[in-house]
Amino acid sequence: MLAIDLLVNGLIFGLFYALMAVGLAMIFGVLKVVNFAHGEFYMLGAYAYVLVSLKLGVSPWIALPIAAAVGAAVGWLVERTLMRPLYSGYASWSIMKDEYAVVVTFGLSLLLINLVDKVVGPYPMRGPELIETTRFSIGPIMLNGQKLIAAGISLAVLIGLALFIKKSLWGRQIQAVAQNRLGASLAGIDATRTTSMIFAIAGLLAALSGALLAPVINPSPDIGAFPAIKSYVIVVLGGMGSIWGAMIAALLLGVFEAFFAVYVSYAYRDAFGLLLLILVLIFRPQGLFGEKGREV
């Protein structure tokens, strides 16, 4: 029974990890850069959920999509103002795009953390729960009510995202731009608009993850740092830029961490992901689901 309980709880945490990591994988898949401010989208979503529900007296079920919309808006704005020079009108910047992205996104991360710290305050805030039931019993397994409903929403969103990318016209455009930006442009796809949509989706997913966990994590200005690190680990494990790899790697990491915490050491539970990352980089640098490639 313990193994089943650990498996279920590991999958629940894996779904939360996947919401964060998929957006980061999408950004890397298109621009081949890492967004070091990704964790702050998570933080903004958590704060938006708490402030809208508590300060404005709005139902948590309404505050949740509002928080996701805030993340999408911030992601779109970041792409329009900070990331667009990487690929629009600055051809000579292609040589230094990695350095530019690191400096800009890291600076944005510090800006958002300090801005929230000064405007809202440095103290943790607890958001209202989506449901009043604190525990659910599914056979012999006892689950936290908030985590269970949040995991259900996460699963529904991830399935919807997978169908959107696989079946919709916009999803096919995202795949085309990720494979070959120039070729997609020559085929008539607006690559710039597609990139804006990707950043908006990434911001929405990260903010939604923060909002879903706000009643559990008690958000503070620096709360996004740890989820961001988890996301970086998952993106590398799954294969840089692979959306499906990120989803599967997130679920695997959640399950492995759950078993590791019980059978090895709970104190080093979070270090397990880093150990797994080192092993993957040594024996399979392209990630579990990535492919070897080279630029010519």
Side-chain angles (χ1 to χ4, degrees):
M1 293 302 177
L2 177 60
I4 297 176
D5 185 66
L6 292 175
L7 176 63
V8 172
N9 281 279
L11 289 174
I12 288 176
F13 275 99
L15 289 171
F16 299 145
Y17 294 162
L19 271 185
M20 278 288 294
V22 165
L24 194 65
M26 291 177 69
I27 292 174
F28 185 87
V30 172
L31 292 182
K32 302 299 184 289
V33 296
V34 178
N35 176 18
F36 282 93
H38 194 65
E40 279 53 62
F41 293 159
Y42 174 93
M43 179 266 292
L44 290 176
Y47 267 103
Y49 173 82
V50 173
L51 295 176
V52 169
S53 57
L54 294 184
K55 301 300 183 182
L56 301 181
V58 175
S59 167
W61 288 98
I62 299 177
L64 191 65
I66 292 176
V70 168
V74 173
W76 178 84
L77 184 63
V78 168
E79 190 278 332
R80 287 296 300 268
T81 57
L82 298 179
M83 305 306 294
R84 189 159 293 188
L86 289 177
Y87 55 86
S88 178
Y90 293 84
S92 61
W93 284 27
S94 60
I95 301 175
M96 53 177 288
K97 71 174 185 177
D98 294 335
E99 293 85 347
Y100 173 83
V102 169
V103 172
V104 168
T105 57
F106 185 71
L108 176 64
S109 171
L110 296 178
L111 172 64
L112 292 176
I113 291 174
N114 286 277
L115 186 62
V116 171
D117 179 77
K118 298 302 180 184
V119 174
V120 182
Y123 306 107
M125 302 177 67
R126 184 179 178 84
E129 295 187 352
L130 292 170
I131 56 174
E132 297 181 358
T133 305
T134 57
R135 306 285 289 180
F136 277 103
S137 176
I138 303 178
I141 303 173
M142 292 295 295
L143 297 171
N144 178 280
Q146 173 64 28
K147 289 182 180 178
L148 183 60
I149 194 69
I153 295 173
S154 301
L155 179 60
V157 171
L158 289 172
I159 292 174
L161 177 66
L163 292 175
F164 171 79
I165 294 176
K166 194 73 175 178
K167 302 294 185 180
S168 71
L169 176 61
W170 286 350
R172 294 192 182 99
Q173 290 178 356
I174 290 175
Q175 296 180 64
V177 174
Q179 292 175 8
N180 190 318
R181 187 180 190 88
L182 177 60
S185 299
L186 294 175
I189 296 174
D190 189 339
T192 299
R193 185 181 63 181
T194 302
T195 306
S196 295
M197 180 170 56
I198 289 172
F199 266 85
I201 293 174
L204 183 149
L205 294 175
L208 180 61
S209 178
L212 288 172
L213 292 178
V216 180
I217 61 175
N218 297 344
S220 59
D222 60 350
I223 194 66
F226 189 70
I229 293 174
K230 291 279 188 181
S231 299
Y232 302 145
V233 171
I234 289 168
V235 169
V236 175
L237 290 178
M240 298 293 284
S242 172
I243 298 174
W244 319 113
M247 289 184 182
I248 297 173
L251 296 176
L252 291 176
L253 181 61
V255 172
F256 287 157
E257 283 186 347
F259 280 88
F260 183 89
V262 172
Y263 291 108
V264 182
S265 171
Y266 184 83
Y268 292 96
R269 174 178 180 270
D270 295 321
F272 174 75
L274 298 176
L275 175 62
L276 189 60
L277 174 64
I278 293 173
L279 294 176
V280 170
L281 289 176
I282 292 175
F283 296 105
R284 189 175 172 84
Q286 69 269 30
L288 298 176
F289 303 96
E291 297 180 357
K292 293 182 179 180
R294 64 178 181 176
E295 294 184 2
V296 293

